């Protein structure tokens, strides 16, 4: 089956810094999504981005489907950005990466 | 998009008992999905629930342990049966909507078994 790997492992940032999270996947996919899991466990949809680039405020994402990776950019990070970020790809069923736990310190 | 109401949001249960989790969607959907997230882990698909047919379970999950109902196109339940501490997890329901099958999730149920 498709493998999804996220990096870096659990980055720690100072508030105001920028961060780039990466998602590599092992095969062609029909869909790629980024989620943020809040401390209460809820998954918040950030981007649906099977290809191309999208921006939403301080967040943007780029997927290069031909090279099988996606990037999530967080600019001017805030403490509320802390939490676990998941990418998930649709290859028959939705397959999640292992998650990246981002910590933003004040 | 889709709005999914999941309840309870959290519960603490005694071992050997069962808990039923409910998911209500604000629109009709063909398939609903149930996931488990063990502490510190990623999400794992438990089963896919279609209205009018038995749920399809992923490897490692069985109907006796996780019975699922899907009585109509907007509602589903997942029961965690005969619970043990190893069942302590976050359980989430999900739907996929739209032409491009974007997934949306309920708020999750944080289950602790003591």
């Amino acid at each position: 089956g498709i493998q999804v790997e996220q990096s870096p492992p659990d980055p720690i940032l100072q508030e105001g810094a920028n961060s780039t999270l990466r998602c590599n996947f092992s095969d062609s996919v029909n869909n790629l999504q980024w989620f943020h899991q809040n401390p209460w466990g809820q998954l918040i949809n950030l981007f649906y981005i099977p290809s191309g680039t999208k921006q939403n405020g301080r967040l943007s994402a780029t997927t290069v489907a031909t090279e099988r990776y996606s990037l999530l950019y967080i600019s001017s990070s805030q403490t509320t950005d802390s939490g676990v970020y998941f990418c998930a790809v649709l290859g028959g069923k939705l397959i999640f990466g292992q998650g990246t736990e981002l910590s933003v310190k004040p | 998009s889709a709005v999914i109401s999941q309840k309870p949001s959290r519960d603490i249960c005694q071992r050997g008992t069962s808990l039923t989790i409910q998911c209500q969607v604000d629109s009709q959907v063909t398939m609903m999905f149930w996931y488990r997230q063990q502490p510190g882990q990623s999400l794992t698909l438990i089963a896919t629930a279609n209205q009018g047919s038995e749920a399809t379970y992923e490897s490692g999950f069985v109907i006796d342990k996780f019975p699922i109902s899907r009585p109509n196109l907007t509602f589903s339940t997942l029961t965690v049966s005969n619970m043990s501490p190893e069942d302590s997890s976050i359980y989430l329901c999900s739907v996929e909507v739209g032409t491009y099958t974007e997934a949306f999730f309920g708020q999750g149920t944080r289950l602790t078994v003591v």
Side-chain angles (χ1 to χ4, degrees), chain A residues 31 33 37 45 48 93 97, chain B residues 37 42 58 100-101 103 110:
Chain A
N31 173 5
Q33 292 183 244
Q37 188 168 38
N45 286 42
Y48 168 90
K93 61 182 180 181
Chain B
Q37 185 182 23
S42 186
E58 297 296 308
Y100 306 106
T101 61
R110 188 181 295 270

Side-chain angles (χ1 to χ4, degrees), chain B residues 34 46-49 55-57 63 66-70 76-79:
Chain B
W34 289 97
I46 297 172
T48 302
T56 302
Y57 289 83
I63 187 171
F66 298 102
I68 288 171
S69 77
R70 184 80 201 275
S76 179
T77 67
L78 170 76
T79 299

Side-chain angles (χ1 to χ4, degrees), chain A residues 4 23 31-35 86-90 94-97:
Chain A
V4 182
C23 175
N31 173 5
L32 187 143
Q33 292 183 244
W34 283 97
F35 299 92
F86 287 102
C87 70
V89 301
L90 185 63
L94 200 60
I95 301 166
F96 283 79

Side-chain angles (χ1 to χ4, degrees), chain A residues 49-79:
Chain A
I49 187 163
S51 64
T53 297
K54 290 185 178 180
Q55 181 159 6
N56 184 5
R58 295 182 297 104
L59 274 60
S60 64
T62 295
T63 297
V64 183
T66 53
E67 297 187 20
R68 299 177 184 167
Y69 73 88
S70 182
L71 303 174
L72 177 69
Y73 305 95
I74 304 172
S75 64
S76 304
S77 60
Q78 301 174 359
T79 56

Side-chain angles (χ1 to χ4, degrees), chain B residues 31-89:
Chain B
M31 293 189 289
M32 295 180 72
F33 305 88
W34 289 97
Y35 290 82
R36 180 178 73 180
Q37 185 182 23
Q38 295 178 299
Q41 303 295 313
S42 186
L43 280 76
T44 301
L45 181 64
I46 297 172
T48 302
N50 289 318
Q51 192 267 337
S53 64
E54 283 206 2
T56 302
Y57 289 83
E58 297 296 308
S59 175
F61 298 96
V62 295
I63 187 171
D64 290 347
K65 177 66 176 178
F66 298 102
I68 288 171
S69 77
R70 184 80 201 275
N72 57 53
L73 291 173
T74 63
F75 187 79
S76 179
T77 67
L78 170 76
T79 299
V80 186
S81 303
N82 189 24
M83 289 183 287
S84 67
E86 291 71 36
D87 294 319
S88 297
S89 297

